Amino acid sequence: MSSSTASLPDDVESLRRLVVAQREELDRERVARAVVESALLGRDLLIEKLKVQIARLKRMHFGRSSEKLATEIAQLELALEELETAEAELPRRSPSIAPARKAPDRALPSHLPREEIVHLPGSGDCVCPACGGALRRLGQDADEVLDIEPVAFRVVRHVRPKFSCRACEAIVQAPAPEKAIARGKASFRMIAHVLVSKFDHHLPLYRQAEIMAAQGIDIDRSTLAGWTGQGAALLDPIVARIRETVLAATKLHTDDTPVPMLDPGSGKTKTARLWVHAIDDRPHGGPTMPAVWFAFTTDRRAEHPQTLLKDFRGHLQADAYAGYDELYRSGRAVEVACWGHARRKIFDLHQTQATPATTELLERIGGLFMVEKTVRGQPPDIRHAARQGQSRPQLEELKARMEAIRAKLSAKSALAVAITYALRRWPALTRYLDHGHLEIDNLIAERALRGVAIGRRNWLFAGSKAGGERAAAIYSIIETCKMNGVEPFAYIADVTRKIAEGWPNSRIGELMPWQWTAETKQIAA
């Protein structure tokens, strides 16, 4: 008799009661499973709905200064985070119940260091726990989990032994290494950490001070502010070269966004501006490395674009801000309008009250973007041919339909205003047709501003123009690094050290993010 049947009762009545009890237990499990599966299905549907709502709000209103919309997006993201957290908890509470959807099995990045922990049987790897016989290895099962070492601060102690010559009594000692800050207590890596934490991870200096205090490190916000200024000063040659590179291009994407700045003396904030100027030839397979130059102004007067772009000559893709008009009239810049802006004006109306007219116009504009999707990354001649053969006929039909629809509307209606916006800029909106290296929209500049749009909710400038210019400089470094696939912390830590050690200005080109990437890959190889 097997061990599994030896524990069963001998009489029929006891066996019957055992069968009934097991059947009731199975019924309870089926009911519980049905309840959980229903709850998971409802949660999945709600998660997908929230994701769609968040994507829609970001697509419609990204970059706008609407605090109400920013709050709504933040609340939706928080609700989504809570739902996904609850979904992750449920399978652990009920391991016998399978989740409604299986999480994708993604391999962890291969570049991360590995720590291997071998789990041997309790009896060891030599003796069989069942019979005492010798074991032989058949293979292994392996599973990887992502682990983290919390941010750990350390002190690096530089020791320079002194030696004296027995023959001539000369004193010999290694020179003192360069420091990021004269008589300061921060390493180059520490300064890079503070800069990246503030401007890329959006942690204000007072929060960084609190994190350090939790580990027993008493460094106040003003000290961190000094480190930020010193780090930015070391990076000035890099920022200057980025500016030269960007303005030397013949195609430029520009945009601006409001940022809060303390108004000295009033105790209030006023609206300053960050202007972004981006170059990126990757959409048409060009050789120029991507770069972003940010500039700061205390307001949005029309004189600023003219001053910032006085050295630029070429195609300028921007919004319809009147401050660029003088550049176009002077012939220094050729206007390239953004179909993203034109589409957004109609899309906003469509979301408020969809009509056959808004639906038709959005579908026609969407067809233009579908053509661009098929030739993204292709050489200019291929893009030009596709636009002439496919986009130009669509644009001719679109213009005719816009004019026909507008003729039936009141001139003051919202849709008529949106259509007029596009028709007045038609030459600039269609200029990309004849130039394969131009883009249909200004997404390159808008994408570069995303970090600013996220970070401005977490910090204010230090109450001066210098503080805004410092922020613009660091953003130029960080965003250019990202566009070139360079990790900002590693780059800033390395480049500030080299500049402090006397790197010649004649070789500053070797330290640019796009060149630094090439050097890193060569060394790694």
Side-chain angles (χ1 to χ4, degrees):
M1 181 180 295
S2 67
S3 59
S4 62
T5 59
S7 58
L8 294 175
D10 296 331
D11 60 292
V12 175
E13 182 61 26
S14 298
L15 285 172
R16 187 185 66 80
R17 287 196 299 269
L18 181 60
V19 170
V20 170
Q22 290 180 341
R23 183 177 297 164
E24 292 176 349
E25 178 66 23
L26 289 173
D27 290 340
R28 286 193 294 270
E29 288 185 1
R30 278 195 293 268
V31 172
R33 182 179 290 106
V35 171
V36 172
E37 289 178 350
S38 177
L40 286 173
L41 179 59
R43 182 177 291 120
D44 287 344
L45 294 175
L46 183 55
I47 286 173
E48 293 304 318
K49 181 179 179 181
L50 287 173
K51 287 180 177 179
V52 170
Q53 290 177 340
I54 291 171
R56 175 178 58 82
L57 288 174
K58 287 183 174 179
R59 183 175 63 250
M60 288 174 55
H61 301 284
F62 182 81
R64 292 191 176 185
S65 56
S66 171
E67 294 299 330
K68 181 179 179 181
L69 285 171
T71 301
E72 183 179 349
I73 292 174
Q75 290 174 344
L76 287 173
E77 288 180 330
L78 179 60
L80 178 61
E81 178 182 318
E82 292 297 331
L83 284 169
E84 291 178 328
T85 302
E87 183 183 38
E89 290 177 341
L90 191 55
R92 179 172 289 275
R93 292 176 182 170
S94 305
S96 63
I97 302 175
R101 58 178 182 175
K102 185 178 183 297
D105 186 15
R106 298 189 181 95
L108 295 174
S110 60
H111 69 275
L112 295 178
R114 257 63 177 176
E115 176 187 358
E116 187 170 289
I117 302 176
V118 179
H119 301 272
L120 295 175
S123 60
D125 59 350
C126 296
V127 180
C128 175
C131 67
L135 295 176
R136 65 179 185 277
R137 187 162 183 165
L138 299 177
Q140 65 181 24
D141 293 324
D143 181 45
E144 293 187 336
V145 295
L146 189 63
D147 193 21
I148 184 174
E149 286 286 345
V151 175
F153 296 94
R154 65 177 182 177
V155 175
V156 177
R157 187 165 180 257
H158 294 278
V159 179
R160 297 184 296 128
K162 292 182 179 180
F163 301 91
S164 64
C165 177
R166 295 182 180 274
C168 67
E169 299 298 326
I171 304 297
V172 180
Q173 186 180 31
E178 291 291 339
K179 300 183 72 173
I181 302 173
R183 298 183 299 277
K185 296 294 185 181
S187 69
F188 295 102
R189 289 171 57 87
M190 186 68 219
I191 288 181
H193 172 77
V194 172
L195 291 175
V196 172
S197 294
K198 177 175 181 179
F199 295 103
D200 192 22
H201 302 158
H202 320 301
L203 278 176
L205 296 181
Y206 78 89
R207 291 185 187 172
Q208 295 189 49
E210 292 173 352
I211 293 172
M212 295 178 186
Q215 298 197 34
I217 304 171
D218 185 17
I219 297 179
D220 57 32
R221 184 202 57 78
S222 62
T223 300
L224 295 179
W227 294 356
T228 301
Q230 293 288 338
L234 286 172
L235 293 169
D236 278 345
I238 303 295
V239 177
R241 184 60 61 88
I242 289 177
R243 176 187 176 276
E244 293 174 6
T245 302
V246 167
L247 295 181
T250 57
K251 184 197 71 168
L252 183 62
H253 296 261
T254 183
D255 202 353
D256 66 287
T257 189
V259 289
M261 185 184 76
L262 291 176
D263 190 4
S266 68
K268 300 179 181 180
T269 61
K270 67 177 184 178
T271 302
R273 310 297 292 195
L274 266 180
W275 306 79
V276 62
H277 310 86
I279 57 173
D280 190 351
D281 286 351
R282 290 175 295 181
H284 67 267
T288 303
M289 293 298 181
V292 184
W293 171 56
F294 284 86
F296 173 82
T297 60
T298 57
D299 52 48
R300 205 195 186 205
R301 292 202 301 269
E303 65 191 54
H304 296 309
Q306 300 168 32
T307 302
L308 296 172
L309 299 175
K310 61 182 177 63
D311 297 326
F312 173 73
R313 301 291 185 274
H315 288 95
L316 181 64
Q317 192 147 29
D319 59 21
Y321 176 48
Y324 299 111
D325 290 348
E326 181 58 33
L327 294 171
Y328 304 142
R329 283 193 294 266
S330 68
R332 289 182 289 164
V334 178
E335 181 181 10
V336 183
C338 172
W339 267 108
H341 283 85
R343 178 178 61 176
R344 192 171 300 131
K345 293 181 179 297
I346 301 173
F347 187 83
D348 290 347
L349 298 175
H350 183 78
Q351 288 297 107
T352 303
Q353 185 177 4
T355 66
T358 59
T359 301
E360 177 190 350
L361 294 178
L362 288 175
E363 288 177 352
R364 288 183 178 275
I365 296 173
L368 300 174
F369 280 88
M370 287 301 298
V371 175
E372 295 304 304
K373 184 178 180 180
T374 62
V375 295
R376 185 173 298 125
Q378 297 297 319
D381 57 337
I382 295 179
R383 285 156 59 97
H384 178 264
R387 290 168 177 176
Q388 294 297 319
Q390 301 177 49
S391 301
R392 184 176 290 280
Q394 293 183 37
L395 279 164
E396 292 173 354
E397 293 178 5
L398 174 59
K399 183 179 182 183
R401 289 298 298 144
M402 282 185 165
E403 291 173 340
I405 292 172
R406 186 178 64 170
K408 299 177 182 179
L409 300 172
S410 167
K412 296 182 179 180
S413 70
L415 182 55
V417 171
I419 292 175
T420 300
Y421 173 90
L423 293 177
R424 284 181 176 175
R425 294 163 180 80
W426 200 257
L429 281 171
T430 57
R431 186 156 283 127
Y432 80 100
L433 291 175
D434 298 320
H435 303 274
H437 69 291
L438 299 182
E439 301 301 320
I440 190 174
D441 59 23
N442 203 25
L443 184 60
I444 291 173
E446 293 179 2
R447 188 185 296 119
L449 280 175
R450 287 179 180 173
V452 178
I454 296 172
R456 66 185 171 200
R457 292 182 297 185
N458 294 331
W459 49 267
L460 290 172
F461 289 144
S464 67
K465 182 181 178 182
E469 292 173 344
R470 184 181 307 118
I474 301 304
Y475 273 124
S476 300
I477 297 287
I478 290 176
E479 294 302 323
T480 300
C481 282
K482 289 181 178 180
M483 293 180 77
N484 287 276
V486 173
E487 203 282 307
F489 168 78
Y491 175 81
I492 292 175
D494 179 63
V495 169
T496 51
R497 177 183 59 80
K498 288 178 177 176
I499 292 176
E501 291 175 350
W503 189 272
N505 194 57
S506 60
R507 295 176 55 198
I508 206 68
E510 300 174 27
L511 298 184
M512 302 308 294
W514 49 87
Q515 187 65 34
W516 193 86
T517 303
E519 290 181 355
T520 303
K521 290 181 179 178
Q522 184 178 0
I523 293 173

